[in-house]
PDB file of all heavy atoms in Angstrom:
ATOM      1  N   GLU A 562     -71.415  38.874 106.692  1.00 98.00           N
ATOM      2  CA  GLU A 562     -71.020  39.523 105.440  1.00 98.00           C
ATOM      3  C   GLU A 562     -70.437  38.501 104.467  1.00 98.00           C
ATOM      4  O   GLU A 562     -70.761  38.492 103.266  1.00 98.00           O
ATOM      5  CB  GLU A 562     -69.999  40.625 105.726  1.00 98.00           C
ATOM      6  CG  GLU A 562     -69.554  41.387 104.478  1.00 98.00           C
ATOM      7  CD  GLU A 562     -68.543  42.482 104.802  1.00 98.00           C
ATOM      8  OE1 GLU A 562     -68.146  42.603 105.983  1.00 98.00           O
ATOM      9  OE2 GLU A 562     -68.159  43.215 103.866  1.00 98.00           O
ATOM     10  N   GLU A 563     -69.581  37.614 104.983  1.00 98.00           N
ATOM     11  CA  GLU A 563     -68.972  36.593 104.124  1.00 98.00           C
ATOM     12  C   GLU A 563     -70.026  35.615 103.609  1.00 98.00           C
ATOM     13  O   GLU A 563     -69.980  35.184 102.451  1.00 98.00           O
ATOM     14  CB  GLU A 563     -67.901  35.838 104.908  1.00 98.00           C
ATOM     15  CG  GLU A 563     -66.663  36.678 105.208  1.00 98.00           C
ATOM     16  CD  GLU A 563     -65.741  36.014 106.218  1.00 98.00           C
ATOM     17  OE1 GLU A 563     -66.219  35.150 106.995  1.00 98.00           O
ATOM     18  OE2 GLU A 563     -64.547  36.364 106.249  1.00 98.00           O
ATOM     19  N   ALA A 564     -70.964  35.269 104.465  1.00 98.00           N
ATOM     20  CA  ALA A 564     -72.020  34.335 104.063  1.00 98.00           C
ATOM     21  C   ALA A 564     -72.886  34.942 102.968  1.00 98.00           C
ATOM     22  O   ALA A 564     -73.260  34.264 101.996  1.00 98.00           O
ATOM     23  CB  ALA A 564     -72.867  33.957 105.272  1.00 98.00           C
ATOM     24  N   THR A 565     -73.202  36.199 103.108  1.00 98.00           N
ATOM     25  CA  THR A 565     -74.027  36.880 102.104  1.00 98.00           C
ATOM     26  C   THR A 565     -73.336  36.890 100.752  1.00 98.00           C
ATOM     27  O   THR A 565     -73.955  36.612  99.709  1.00 98.00           O
ATOM     28  CB  THR A 565     -74.321  38.319 102.562  1.00 98.00           C
ATOM     29  OG1 THR A 565     -75.003  38.280 103.822  1.00 98.00           O
ATOM     30  CG2 THR A 565     -75.185  39.039 101.542  1.00 98.00           C
ATOM     31  N   GLU A 566     -72.053  37.189 100.768  1.00 98.00           N
ATOM     32  CA  GLU A 566     -71.292  37.187  99.523  1.00 98.00           C
ATOM     33  C   GLU A 566     -71.192  35.785  98.932  1.00 98.00           C
ATOM     34  O   GLU A 566     -71.271  35.590  97.714  1.00 98.00           O
ATOM     35  CB  GLU A 566     -69.887  37.739  99.777  1.00 98.00           C
ATOM     36  CG  GLU A 566     -69.022  37.798  98.525  1.00 98.00           C
ATOM     37  CD  GLU A 566     -67.626  38.343  98.817  1.00 98.00           C
ATOM     38  OE1 GLU A 566     -67.375  38.756  99.961  1.00 98.00           O
ATOM     39  OE2 GLU A 566     -66.788  38.331  97.883  1.00 98.00           O
ATOM     40  N   SER A 567     -71.043  34.791  99.783  1.00 98.00           N
ATOM     41  CA  SER A 567     -70.857  33.410  99.331  1.00 98.00           C
ATOM     42  C   SER A 567     -72.034  32.896  98.515  1.00 98.00           C
ATOM     43  O   SER A 567     -71.856  32.244  97.478  1.00 98.00           O
ATOM     44  CB  SER A 567     -70.630  32.488 100.532  1.00 98.00           C
ATOM     45  OG  SER A 567     -70.587  31.136 100.157  1.00 98.00           O
ATOM     46  N   VAL A 568     -73.260  33.180  98.980  1.00 98.00           N
ATOM     47  CA  VAL A 568     -74.443  32.625  98.316  1.00 98.00           C
ATOM     48  C   VAL A 568     -75.107  33.625  97.370  1.00 98.00           C
ATOM     49  O   VAL A 568     -76.234  33.400  96.918  1.00 98.00           O
ATOM     50  CB  VAL A 568     -75.469  32.120  99.355  1.00 98.00           C
ATOM     51  CG1 VAL A 568     -74.874  31.000 100.185  1.00 98.00           C
ATOM     52  CG2 VAL A 568     -75.980  33.264 100.236  1.00 98.00           C
ATOM     53  N   GLN A 569     -74.423  34.717  97.057  1.00 98.00           N
ATOM     54  CA  GLN A 569     -75.019  35.753  96.214  1.00 98.00           C
ATOM     55  C   GLN A 569     -75.521  35.238  94.864  1.00 98.00           C
ATOM     56  O   GLN A 569     -76.592  35.645  94.399  1.00 98.00           O
ATOM     57  CB  GLN A 569     -74.016  36.889  95.993  1.00 98.00           C
ATOM     58  CG  GLN A 569     -74.650  38.184  95.475  1.00 98.00           C
ATOM     59  CD  GLN A 569     -75.609  38.778  96.494  1.00 98.00           C
ATOM     60  OE1 GLN A 569     -75.251  38.987  97.643  1.00 98.00           O
ATOM     61  NE2 GLN A 569     -76.852  39.026  96.082  1.00 98.00           N
ATOM     62  N   PRO A 570     -74.788  34.316  94.209  1.00 97.00           N
ATOM     63  CA  PRO A 570     -75.278  33.848  92.895  1.00 97.00           C
ATOM     64  C   PRO A 570     -76.663  33.213  92.951  1.00 97.00           C
ATOM     65  O   PRO A 570     -77.497  33.471  92.071  1.00 97.00           O
ATOM     66  CB  PRO A 570     -74.208  32.837  92.469  1.00 97.00           C
ATOM     67  CG  PRO A 570     -72.969  33.276  93.184  1.00 97.00           C
ATOM     68  CD  PRO A 570     -73.444  33.788  94.515  1.00 97.00           C
ATOM     69  N   ILE A 571     -76.933  32.390  93.967  1.00 97.00           N
ATOM     70  CA  ILE A 571     -78.264  31.769  94.011  1.00 97.00           C
ATOM     71  C   ILE A 571     -79.298  32.726  94.595  1.00 97.00           C
ATOM     72  O   ILE A 571     -80.479  32.631  94.275  1.00 97.00           O
ATOM     73  CB  ILE A 571     -78.265  30.430  94.772  1.00 97.00           C
ATOM     74  CG1 ILE A 571     -77.678  30.580  96.167  1.00 97.00           C
ATOM     75  CG2 ILE A 571     -77.558  29.359  93.985  1.00 97.00           C
ATOM     76  CD1 ILE A 571     -77.836  29.314  96.991  1.00 97.00           C
ATOM     77  N   ALA A 572     -78.854  33.653  95.430  1.00 98.00           N
ATOM     78  CA  ALA A 572     -79.784  34.678  95.905  1.00 98.00           C
ATOM     79  C   ALA A 572     -80.276  35.523  94.732  1.00 98.00           C
ATOM     80  O   ALA A 572     -81.475  35.816  94.612  1.00 98.00           O
ATOM     81  CB  ALA A 572     -79.110  35.550  96.967  1.00 98.00           C
ATOM     82  N   ASP A 573     -79.360  35.895  93.870  1.00 98.00           N
ATOM     83  CA  ASP A 573     -79.736  36.688  92.695  1.00 98.00           C
ATOM     84  C   ASP A 573     -80.699  35.906  91.815  1.00 98.00           C
ATOM     85  O   ASP A 573     -81.677  36.464  91.290  1.00 98.00           O
ATOM     86  CB  ASP A 573     -78.486  37.072  91.898  1.00 98.00           C
ATOM     87  CG  ASP A 573     -77.621  38.103  92.614  1.00 98.00           C
ATOM     88  OD1 ASP A 573     -78.130  38.750  93.556  1.00 98.00           O
ATOM     89  OD2 ASP A 573     -76.443  38.240  92.240  1.00 98.00           O
ATOM     90  N   TYR A 574     -80.428  34.628  91.650  1.00 98.00           N
ATOM     91  CA  TYR A 574     -81.303  33.814  90.796  1.00 98.00           C
ATOM     92  C   TYR A 574     -82.708  33.740  91.387  1.00 98.00           C
ATOM     93  O   TYR A 574     -83.706  33.906  90.675  1.00 98.00           O
ATOM     94  CB  TYR A 574     -80.731  32.406  90.639  1.00 98.00           C
ATOM     95  CG  TYR A 574     -81.519  31.548  89.665  1.00 98.00           C
ATOM     96  CD1 TYR A 574     -81.195  31.527  88.322  1.00 98.00           C
ATOM     97  CD2 TYR A 574     -82.605  30.790  90.098  1.00 98.00           C
ATOM     98  CE1 TYR A 574     -81.924  30.766  87.419  1.00 98.00           C
ATOM     99  CE2 TYR A 574     -83.352  30.029  89.200  1.00 98.00           C
ATOM    100  CZ  TYR A 574     -82.999  30.015  87.867  1.00 98.00           C
ATOM    101  OH  TYR A 574     -83.737  29.276  86.980  1.00 98.00           O
ATOM    102  N   ALA A 575     -82.789  33.479  92.684  1.00 98.00           N
ATOM    103  CA  ALA A 575     -84.110  33.383  93.323  1.00 98.00           C
ATOM    104  C   ALA A 575     -84.874  34.699  93.212  1.00 98.00           C
ATOM    105  O   ALA A 575     -86.072  34.713  92.903  1.00 98.00           O
ATOM    106  CB  ALA A 575     -83.947  32.971  94.783  1.00 98.00           C
ATOM    107  N   LEU A 576     -84.196  35.813  93.458  1.00 98.00           N
ATOM    108  CA  LEU A 576     -84.868  37.110  93.393  1.00 98.00           C
ATOM    109  C   LEU A 576     -85.322  37.430  91.968  1.00 98.00           C
ATOM    110  O   LEU A 576     -86.366  38.068  91.767  1.00 98.00           O
ATOM    111  CB  LEU A 576     -83.936  38.202  93.908  1.00 98.00           C
ATOM    112  CG  LEU A 576     -83.641  38.152  95.420  1.00 98.00           C
ATOM    113  CD1 LEU A 576     -82.584  39.189  95.792  1.00 98.00           C
ATOM    114  CD2 LEU A 576     -84.916  38.366  96.235  1.00 98.00           C
ATOM    115  N   SER A 577     -84.564  36.972  90.986  1.00 98.00           N
ATOM    116  CA  SER A 577     -84.962  37.205  89.597  1.00 98.00           C
ATOM    117  C   SER A 577     -86.205  36.413  89.220  1.00 98.00           C
ATOM    118  O   SER A 577     -86.826  36.682  88.188  1.00 98.00           O
ATOM    119  CB  SER A 577     -83.814  36.851  88.651  1.00 98.00           C
ATOM    120  OG  SER A 577     -83.620  35.449  88.584  1.00 98.00           O
ATOM    121  N   HIS A 578     -86.571  35.428  90.068  1.00 98.00           N
ATOM    122  CA  HIS A 578     -87.781  34.645  89.844  1.00 98.00           C
ATOM    123  C   HIS A 578     -88.791  34.893  90.968  1.00 98.00           C
ATOM    124  O   HIS A 578     -89.574  33.999  91.338  1.00 98.00           O
ATOM    125  CB  HIS A 578     -87.440  33.158  89.752  1.00 98.00           C
ATOM    126  CG  HIS A 578     -86.683  32.800  88.507  1.00 98.00           C
ATOM    127  ND1 HIS A 578     -85.324  33.001  88.369  1.00 98.00           N
ATOM    128  CD2 HIS A 578     -87.099  32.285  87.312  1.00 98.00           C
ATOM    129  CE1 HIS A 578     -84.943  32.601  87.175  1.00 98.00           C
ATOM    130  NE2 HIS A 578     -85.994  32.172  86.506  1.00 98.00           N
ATOM    131  N   ASN A 579     -88.747  36.134  91.486  1.00 97.00           N
ATOM    132  CA  ASN A 579     -89.705  36.569  92.514  1.00 97.00           C
ATOM    133  C   ASN A 579     -89.658  35.687  93.765  1.00 97.00           C
ATOM    134  O   ASN A 579     -90.690  35.430  94.409  1.00 97.00           O
ATOM    135  CB  ASN A 579     -91.129  36.589  91.942  1.00 97.00           C
ATOM    136  CG  ASN A 579     -91.268  37.534  90.775  1.00 97.00           C
ATOM    137  OD1 ASN A 579     -90.810  38.676  90.834  1.00 97.00           O
ATOM    138  ND2 ASN A 579     -91.878  37.058  89.695  1.00 97.00           N
ATOM    139  N   GLY A 580     -88.467  35.235  94.099  1.00 98.00           N
ATOM    140  CA  GLY A 580     -88.304  34.369  95.256  1.00 98.00           C
ATOM    141  C   GLY A 580     -88.049  35.136  96.537  1.00 98.00           C
ATOM    142  O   GLY A 580     -88.145  36.370  96.587  1.00 98.00           O
TER     143      GLY A 580
END
Side-chain angles (χ1 to χ4, degrees):
E562 182 180 3
E563 290 168 338
T565 301
E566 181 180 355
S567 174
V568 298
Q569 197 64 53
I571 54 173
D573 290 343
Y574 185 90
L576 291 174
S577 72
H578 290 80
N579 300 313

